[in-house]
Amino acid sequence: MQRRQLLLCGAAGAGVLGLTLFVGWWRVDGPGAPEPKGQRPLPLSAMEFRLTDHEGIEVGPGNLIGRPTMVFFGFTYCPDVCPTTLSHISGWLEELGDEASEMNVVFITVDPERDTVEAMAEYVGYFHPIIRGWTGQEDQIARVVEGFRASYERVPTEGGDYTMNHTASVFLFDAKGEFVTMIDYHEPREFAVPKIRRALTEDVEGAK
Amino acid sequence: MVKKLRYTNALAVLLTVVGLSAPALAGSEDVVVENAWSRASIGVNRPGAAYMTVRNTGEDALTLTGLATPLAMMPEIHESKTNSDGVSSMSPAGEITIEPGQSVALEPGGLHAMLMKLQEPMTEGGTFLLTLTFSDGGKVTVEVPILGIAARGPEG
C-alpha cells in the first residue's frame, strides 16, 4: 500500500515536471514564443503598397521584383545620417561599377509631409544616378515600413520643427524579391560590398 | 648674476599673475581644430551639419559648451545614435568635455555641429566661420569649407 502511494506520488511528480518543462518550452522556444524583435522583412512579393517615385511614376513592390534590390529609409531634412548613408551607397555602387546597373536602389522617405515628389527629385539628384526616391501617402509609407519590419517615429524638436527617428539599415533583396541581408549603419565598407554581391549572385543562382 | 636671476624670477611671477588675471582666455589656445568640413545644403529650410576634430593640447580638461556662426541662428552640437534594432535618432549632445591630450571627433553618424535655421544656403565651394565656445569663456573660430552634399569626409 505504502509502495503504491509512493509510485503514484512519483508518477504525479514526473507528470508535473514534464508539464512544467513542456509549458516552458512552449513559451520560450515553441509555438507560444513571442515574435522575435528583429524580425525578417517580408518578401517583396508579399508586400502591398502604392507610392510615387521622384519622376512622378506610380510604383509598388512589384517594380522591385526581377532585379536585386537595395532599400533605405530616411528623409531629406535629415542632416547627418541620411546624406551619410546615401553617400556610402553611392560609393558602394561606384565600387560595383557595371554590376550596379543591374540593381534597383530605392530611398524611401518616412517624412512624406515635407518630402514631396519634387523634394525627392532634387535630393536624389545629388547622389548616384541609379538611386530612386519614393514618397507617397502617410498610410502607404506606414505599410511599407511594416512590410520591412522597420520603424519610424516623428519627434518634435525645439523651435517647433521635428525630426524623424527611423531604421537606418540598408535592406538587400534578391531578384525574386526574397530578403537576403541587411547592412547596418556602422558597418565598414569592406563588409557592405560583399553583401551586395551576395544579393546579386543569389539572382544568378535563382535564374539557373 | 644673482641680480639677473632675481629679475627673471620677478618676470616669471609677473607673467603668472597676468596669466591668472585673464582666465577667460586660459585653455582655448590649447585647442586645435582639424579637418573641419560640411555638406552643401538644399536651400535654407533643411538643417546643415559640420564636422571636425577638436583636440585639447593643454594640461587641463576643456569643456565645449556651445557654437556660434553667422550662417545659422541655432547652431548646436547634436549626436546621432543607432540602437540595436538599427533605429537612428538624433538629440542635442549637451556639453562635451575633452580631457588633456585627448580629442573629440565630430563625424558623420555621431557628434556633429547641427546648423539649424540657416540664414543662407550652404553652397559647395564656399566657407563659413564657426566659433566654438568653452566653459572658461575662451572661443576658437574656424573656417569651415563647404563640400558637396554627397561628400563623405574632409577630402570630399
Side-chain angles (χ1 to χ4, degrees):
Chain A
M1 190 64 186
Q2 221 175 15
R3 202 179 156 198
R4 206 179 145 198
Q5 272 177 340
L6 252 175
L7 272 175
L8 264 173
C9 213
V16 167
L17 182 70
L19 187 69
T20 309
L21 285 173
F22 177 76
V23 168
W25 166 81
W26 184 274
R27 282 200 187 147
V28 177
D29 296 314
E35 290 278 348
K37 227 183 163 197
Q39 288 177 63
R40 282 171 71 90
L42 296 178
L44 291 168
S45 55
M47 292 191 202
E48 275 182 54
F49 58 83
R50 299 302 310 164
L51 294 175
T52 308
D53 86 352
H54 67 275
E55 291 181 61
I57 301 163
E58 277 229 349
V59 287
N63 295 67
L64 302 177
I65 298 169
R67 286 163 21 130
T69 295
M70 183 155 42
V71 173
F72 163 70
F73 295 97
F75 62 114
T76 77
Y77 279 65
C78 160
D80 180 42
V81 166
C82 308
T84 301
T85 303
L86 281 168
S87 56
H88 283 158
I89 291 175
S90 299
W92 302 335
L93 295 172
E94 278 161 29
E95 203 169 318
L96 287 163
D98 287 346
E99 287 175 272
S101 59
E102 297 163 29
M103 298 193 82
N104 302 305
V105 183
V106 184
F107 166 54
I108 302 178
T109 183
V110 292
D111 182 16
E113 186 179 317
R114 293 184 293 200
D115 290 338
T116 59
V117 170
E118 295 73 29
M120 293 299 276
E122 180 166 18
Y123 195 74
V124 298
Y126 288 100
F127 299 94
H128 194 283
I130 74 161
I131 300 174
R132 316 285 302 173
W134 290 9
T135 184
Q137 300 293 323
E138 181 71 48
D139 64 321
Q140 296 297 308
I141 299 288
R143 288 176 79 156
V144 184
V145 171
E146 164 67 22
F148 277 80
R149 304 294 186 244
S151 72
Y152 69 111
E153 186 189 359
R154 183 173 161 149
V155 183
T157 55
E158 51 179 317
D161 276 343
Y162 65 93
T163 185
M164 305 294 297
N165 293 350
H166 61 92
T167 303
S169 311
V170 175
F171 296 83
L172 287 165
F173 294 82
D174 66 15
K176 288 180 288 181
E178 296 290 330
F179 174 68
V180 177
T181 187
M182 261 185 253
I183 303 168
D184 287 331
Y185 182 69
H186 288 291
E187 208 160 310
R189 185 177 170 138
E190 53 266 35
F191 297 142
V193 173
K195 279 188 169 182
I196 300 168
R197 288 226 162 86
R198 215 174 103 205
L200 284 161
T201 46
E202 288 203 8
D203 159 40
V204 176
E205 280 159 13
K208 273 175 192 169
Chain B
M1 188 67 194
V2 169
K3 205 176 176 185
K4 195 183 174 188
L5 197 69
R6 274 202 189 131
Y7 271 121
T8 317
N9 277 342
L11 192 65
V13 167
L14 186 70
L15 281 175
T16 308
V17 170
V18 169
L20 284 176
S21 68
L25 292 171
S28 22
E29 65 262 35
D30 297 324
V31 174
V32 178
V33 178
E34 294 162 326
N35 295 326
W37 65 285
S38 61
R39 292 193 183 99
S41 70
I42 301 174
V44 295
N45 292 330
R46 295 175 175 82
Y51 306 99
M52 69 207 70
T53 303
V54 186
R55 193 180 302 283
N56 177 4
T57 61
E59 284 167 10
D60 299 307
L62 278 170
T63 302
L64 176 57
T65 51
L67 301 172
T69 173
L71 180 71
M73 282 171 73
M74 266 179 72
E76 267 182 9
I77 296 180
H78 279 217
E79 185 169 23
S80 300
K81 286 181 183 159
T82 307
N83 71 12
S84 59
D85 292 329
V87 176
S88 276
S89 58
M90 194 173 62
S91 54
E95 298 187 343
I96 295 163
T97 299
I98 313 170
E99 296 301 326
Q102 301 294 306
S103 62
V104 162
L106 273 60
E107 56 190 2
L111 292 169
H112 54 277
M114 169 106 158
L115 309 169
M116 292 169 287
K117 302 202 189 295
L118 290 178
Q119 298 296 291
E120 54 183 290
M122 296 170 72
T123 311
E124 184 173 355
T127 62
F128 66 95
L129 294 176
L130 181 70
T131 301
L132 286 69
T133 309
F134 294 87
S135 55
D136 63 2
K139 291 180 196 298
V140 173
T141 299
V142 285
E143 189 174 23
V144 185
I146 303 170
L147 310 180
I149 291 185
R152 284 192 279 270
E155 310 302 322

